[in-house]
DNA sequence: GCCGTTTTCGGCCCGACTGTTTTCAGTCG
């Protein structure tokens, strides 16, 4: 069965919104949103936990929420939820999507003016009926009218692979400025989330006005959206907004900690500070008398709170704080741990660059090996290699090997997994490759059970070494195929097949949460670029970032092994 | 509604900003 975590999370979030509209206690509302967030992010199957009677072990889930989840999972319905829906007019929840309207104002609009939709809200604002409400006035009314008209056109997110290079270019230029003591990307970019809302950058300086002026006159600036003493904002020529904050050097660590987030992580840390009668803010960590305990560096802040510094990729409130307190954080894999790339295309199929150029670029990255893995015949659009062309490619690679030794060129393939789970080359051909990655590129719409069976069958094929981009998702464009990822990972573990963490910015597949689960199940991962040009070899950094967000250590990644260990691993599979 | 170096009740992150107010409430990040 498909995992129902997301479904349960939606239910709990809906309940939170309905409670908000009823003017319920913010803490009660937060309890539901917290539980929803945890359930959506965790790898454990919510139904499995329910069967084992362990729902209350989920952080943030107590007796009441556990009972509601159980009722919903068993019957597909929840009386409490249906009662709430009856009490709140349908559609009213959309009021909360309007910036400037939170629970309190929505409740007021609903109960005092009977407004139940954004359209009604616009009309009421235009007719100046809002300004009569307590706490409302002409300016707020005007703002709500403006925002209500724009609802729906927002929420444009960026791929990490778009946002990060821009942020790094800005940071590099800022660091070169004499008034800048430090500068870093902050927010979800620093945490390497797969998609990014805002591009936030933090800088430390004793002369903020000079930094602001340098920032607003960067070469990529198209328009200055906001200036002011410490918080300028620009629009780049690519129409991307970048926000900068400049803080005093003594506050930089606390500010970086705060602006990196995640929100939940920061809240949890502040709670710990509270427990000691201290106070943590973006200005520093202060004791009960208001004396600064820490703030210059992030490490100071974490250490003062009795824990190890936590890598930004882990700051999602998924157990990292407890691990840091126990000094038991994972030693996360790094890009420099990689000894080679195992998924690379050339102009023999749909790559842009020649095989030789791809190998040269791999050598330039100080790798010990690279696997050339072009497509198989049934992928016509990508000029998949026929058996004859595979053999011609192998002759070329055999010739190049001497020239490049001791650098190791592996002849591999990214072979299509056909709808029935068989592969797109005969076994005799597959046997001749040094490494076989099997991926799905067609018939993406199979029903859940058939898709799962298709992948499991491919995993048990004797010549498959790696399962490529296992869920097929394309970020911001297409969700994962219908499949039971847990079952696929278990099959990969049983078959000893590694699973790819594909670094293409719109894939990042396997995702962070499933990387973590994969390692728990003993599945080996491979961090690859899936490069279609020499430049794209750099995409491995996004694969590594995704693995890091999944708590993955170097020994969980096959291509951290040196040449001899990798070859031994592959030979042993044959 | 959850949770416990503040333990079974009484807390639950902090500060900026805006707009409403005349000292504060709501929203946002």
């Amino acid at each position: 069965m498909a995992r129902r975590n997301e479904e349960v999370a939606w239910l709990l979030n809906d309940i939170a919104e309905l409670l908000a509209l009823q003017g319920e206690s913010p803490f009660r509302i937060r309890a539901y949103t917290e539980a929803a967030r945890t359930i959506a992010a965790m790898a454990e199957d919510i139904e499995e936990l329910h069967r084992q009677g362990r729902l209350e072990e989920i952080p943030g889930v107590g007796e009441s929420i556990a009972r509601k989840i159980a009722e919903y999972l068993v019957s597909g319905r929840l009386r409490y939820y249906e009662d709430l829906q009856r009490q709140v007019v349908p559609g009213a929840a959309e009021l909360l999507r309007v910036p400037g309207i939170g629970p309190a104002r929505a409740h007021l609009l609903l109960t005092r003016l009977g407004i139940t939709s954004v359209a009604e809200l616009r009309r009421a604002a235009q007719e100046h009926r809002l300004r009569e409400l307590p706490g409302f006035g002409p300016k707020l009314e005007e703002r709500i009218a403006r925002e209500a008209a724009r609802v729906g056109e927002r929420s444009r997110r960026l791929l990490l692979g778009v946002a990060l290079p821009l942020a790094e270019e800005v940071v590099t230029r800022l660091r070169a400025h004499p008034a800048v003591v430090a500068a870093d990307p902050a927010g979800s970019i620093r945490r390497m989330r797969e998609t990014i809302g805002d591009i936030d950058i933090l800088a430390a300086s004793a002369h903020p006005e000079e930094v602001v002026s340098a920032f607003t006159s960067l070469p990529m600036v198209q328009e200055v959206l906001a200036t002011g003493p410490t918080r300028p904002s620009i629009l780049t020529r690519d129409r991307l907004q970048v926000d900068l904050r400049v803080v005093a050097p003594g506050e930089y660590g606390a500010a970086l900690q705060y602006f990196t987030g995640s929100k939940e992580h920061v809240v949890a840390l502040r709670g710990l500070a509270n427990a000691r009668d201290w106070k943590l803010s973006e200005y520093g960590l202060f004791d009960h008398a208001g004396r600064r305990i820490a703030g210059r560096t992030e490490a100071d802040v974490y250490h003062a709170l009795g824990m190890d510094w936590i890598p930004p990729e882990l700051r999602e409130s998924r157990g990292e704080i407890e691990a840091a307190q126990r000094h038991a954080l994972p030693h996360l894999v790094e890009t420099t741990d990689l000894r080679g790339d195992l998924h690379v295309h050339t102009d023999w199929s749909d790559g842009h660059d020649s095989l030789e150029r791809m190998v040269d670029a791999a050598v330039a990255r100080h790798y010990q090996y690279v696997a050339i893995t072009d497509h198989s015949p049934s992928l016509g659009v990508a000029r998949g290699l026929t058996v004859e062309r595979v053999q011609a490619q192998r002759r070329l690679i055999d010739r190049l090997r001497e020239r490049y030794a001791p650098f190791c060129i592996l002849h591999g393939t990214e072979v299509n997994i056909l709808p029935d789970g068989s592969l797109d080359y005969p076994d005799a051909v597959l046997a001749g490759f040094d490494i076989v990655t099997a991926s799905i590129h067609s018939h993406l719409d199979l029903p859940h059970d058939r898709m799962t069976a298709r992948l499991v069958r491919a995993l048990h094929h004797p010549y498959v070494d790696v399962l490529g981009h296992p869920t097929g998702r394309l970020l911001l464009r297409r969700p994962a195929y219908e499949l039971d990822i847990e079952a696929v990972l278990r099959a990969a573990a049983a078959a000893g097949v590694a699973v790819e963490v594909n670094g293409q910015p719109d894939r990042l597949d396997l995702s962070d949460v499933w990387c973590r689960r994969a390692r728990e199940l003993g599945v080996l991962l491979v961090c690859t670029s899936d490069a279609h040009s020499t430049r794209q070899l750099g995409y491995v950094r996004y694969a590594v970032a995704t693995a890091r967000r999944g708590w993955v250590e170097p020994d969980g990644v096959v291509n951290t092994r040196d040449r001899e260990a990798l070859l031994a691993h592959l030979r042993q599979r044959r």
Side-chain angles (χ1 to χ4, degrees):
Chain A
M1 278 303 292
R3 176 182 135 102
R4 295 177 70 191
N5 293 41
E6 284 72 22
E7 184 186 334
V8 170
W10 274 109
L11 174 80
L12 296 177
N13 274 322
D14 273 1
I15 291 175
E17 287 195 340
L18 293 171
L19 290 173
L21 292 168
Q22 293 206 313
E24 258 291 352
S25 144
F27 301 113
R28 195 168 173 209
I29 293 162
R30 203 174 75 187
Y32 280 93
T33 55
E34 277 290 297
R37 192 189 64 81
T38 305
I39 289 166
M42 71 189 191
E44 289 81 13
D45 188 317
I46 188 84
E47 286 191 289
E48 187 58 35
L49 283 177
H50 170 238
R51 268 192 294 277
Q52 299 170 358
R54 294 167 54 210
L55 285 178
E56 287 192 46
E57 290 178 23
I58 303 169
V61 175
E63 195 192 331
S64 167
I65 292 184
R67 201 170 52 238
K68 292 183 176 85
I69 294 173
E71 180 186 331
Y72 180 75
L73 286 177
V74 170
S75 70
R77 300 178 51 182
L78 178 57
R79 278 279 302 279
Y80 174 76
Y81 178 57
E82 292 171 8
D83 290 344
L84 267 179
Q85 284 180 312
R86 266 193 295 279
Q87 288 159 30
V88 179
V89 189
E94 72 180 63
L95 295 180
L96 296 169
R97 311 267 179 289
V98 181
I101 296 189
R105 286 172 187 159
H107 179 61
L108 211 55
L109 292 165
L110 192 60
T111 51
R112 297 286 278 272
L113 295 180
I115 290 172
T116 61
S117 71
V118 173
E120 285 173 42
L121 179 66
R122 277 181 76 178
R123 208 171 316 124
Q126 282 157 6
E127 292 165 3
H128 302 307
R129 287 188 282 133
L130 300 188
R131 59 180 67 179
E132 310 305 328
L133 293 171
F136 283 65
K139 283 202 172 164
L140 188 56
E141 187 179 68
E142 203 178 308
R143 175 175 179 216
I144 288 174
R146 204 169 53 238
E147 296 286 7
R150 283 181 33 202
V151 160
E153 71 182 43
R154 240 180 319 273
S155 88
R156 179 171 159 239
R157 289 189 73 82
L158 299 170
L159 294 174
L160 176 65
V162 174
L164 182 62
L166 172 60
E168 286 177 337
E169 193 188 342
V170 171
V171 162
T172 302
R173 289 175 180 279
L174 286 178
R175 282 176 182 162
H177 191 280
V180 173
V181 177
D184 287 281
S188 47
I189 295 185
R190 186 155 178 258
R191 304 202 310 282
M192 303 292 255
R193 273 198 57 178
E194 56 200 35
T195 63
I196 305 298
D198 301 305
I199 302 178
D200 294 317
I201 290 173
L202 190 69
S205 175
H207 306 285
E209 65 290 344
E210 288 180 35
V211 181
V212 168
S213 146
F215 175 70
T216 53
S217 51
L218 286 172
M220 69 279 274
V221 173
Q222 165 94 19
E223 189 184 338
V224 177
L225 299 174
T227 173
T230 60
R231 292 175 53 189
S233 188
I234 57 165
L235 199 62
T236 68
R237 298 212 181 100
D238 306 327
R239 313 302 294 172
L240 300 175
Q241 184 175 334
V242 184
D243 301 331
L244 175 70
R245 279 180 192 254
V246 190
V247 304
E251 297 167 348
Y252 189 68
L256 189 58
Q257 200 289 315
Y258 170 71
F259 288 111
T260 296
S262 68
K263 190 177 176 210
E264 292 79 8
H265 177 88
V266 171
V267 167
L269 275 194
R270 289 181 172 183
L272 287 176
N274 249 5
R276 302 183 181 204
D277 204 17
W278 294 349
K279 193 178 56 143
L280 177 62
S281 76
E282 56 266 50
Y283 300 108
L285 179 63
F286 301 93
D287 69 11
H288 65 282
R291 285 184 295 255
R292 181 193 299 269
I293 299 170
R296 183 166 286 273
T297 73
E298 267 194 340
D300 293 345
V301 173
Y302 284 101
H303 293 161
L305 288 169
M307 68 186 81
D308 294 338
W309 176 82
I310 300 177
E313 294 93 331
L314 298 184
R315 300 183 194 172
E316 299 290 347
S317 201
R318 295 176 186 163
E320 71 280 6
I321 290 175
E322 295 74 8
Q325 288 171 323
R326 296 197 318 270
H327 306 294
L329 285 169
H331 300 284
L332 298 178
V333 61
E334 296 178 30
T335 306
T336 51
D337 292 327
L338 299 187
R339 295 291 168 262
D341 200 328
L342 297 178
H343 188 165
V344 168
H345 295 275
T346 72
D347 61 7
W348 283 69
S349 66
D350 62 348
H352 292 291
D353 291 313
S354 69
L355 201 154
E356 292 88 334
R357 289 200 54 191
M358 295 305 287
V359 173
D360 285 335
V363 171
R365 292 182 65 87
H366 305 295
Y367 286 154
Q368 298 179 359
Y369 49 84
V370 67
I372 302 299
T373 53
D374 278 310
H375 290 287
S376 63
S378 72
L379 200 60
V381 290
R383 303 200 307 125
L385 269 56
T386 61
V387 172
E388 290 70 31
R389 296 191 68 229
V390 163
Q391 284 159 350
Q393 190 179 49
R394 180 157 314 146
R395 286 193 293 275
L396 170 61
I397 288 177
D398 284 342
R399 282 201 304 278
L400 293 177
R401 274 183 174 137
E402 284 188 34
R403 193 207 301 172
Y404 284 93
F407 183 86
C408 176
I409 308 171
L410 295 166
H411 191 206
T413 178
E414 181 179 17
V415 63
N416 267 354
I417 302 174
L418 302 175
D420 65 355
S422 63
L423 302 182
D424 195 25
Y425 284 121
D427 284 2
V429 174
L430 290 170
F433 288 109
D434 302 314
I435 181 168
V436 173
T437 290
S439 314
I440 285 180
H441 292 101
S442 62
H443 299 89
L444 313 180
D445 54 354
L446 291 192
H448 180 270
D449 292 351
R450 281 184 60 198
M451 187 61 92
T452 305
R454 175 187 188 181
L455 285 161
V456 169
R457 183 174 170 209
L459 284 166
H460 283 112
H461 192 290
Y463 293 123
V464 171
D465 301 296
V466 182
L467 176 63
H469 46 74
T471 77
R473 70 170 183 174
L474 292 178
L475 289 166
L476 307 179
R477 276 163 58 200
R478 180 178 87 197
Y481 327 125
E482 290 288 327
L483 83 163
D484 184 340
I485 310 178
E486 173 86 13
V488 168
L489 291 177
R490 285 179 185 278
V497 172
V499 170
E500 179 180 55
V501 186
N502 185 300
Q504 289 281 319
D506 62 348
R507 288 198 184 271
L508 304 184
D509 184 11
L510 221 47
S511 69
D512 51 5
V513 168
W514 288 108
C515 281
R516 192 169 176 184
R517 181 61 180 154
R519 288 304 299 141
E520 285 169 6
L521 292 171
V523 176
L524 282 172
L525 300 173
V526 182
C527 288
T528 73
S529 67
D530 190 4
H532 286 68
S533 66
T534 53
R535 198 181 53 85
Q536 289 187 1
L537 284 171
Y539 285 170
V540 284
R541 69 179 303 197
Y542 303 117
V544 170
T546 303
R548 287 170 64 86
R549 288 178 54 82
W551 294 54
V552 175
E553 305 191 297
D555 67 355
V557 179
V558 174
N559 52 323
T560 60
R561 301 182 185 184
D562 65 20
R563 178 176 38 234
E564 286 67 33
L566 175 82
L567 293 175
H569 170 78
L570 292 173
R571 264 197 303 272
Q572 161 228 319
R573 292 194 45 72
R574 286 299 134 114

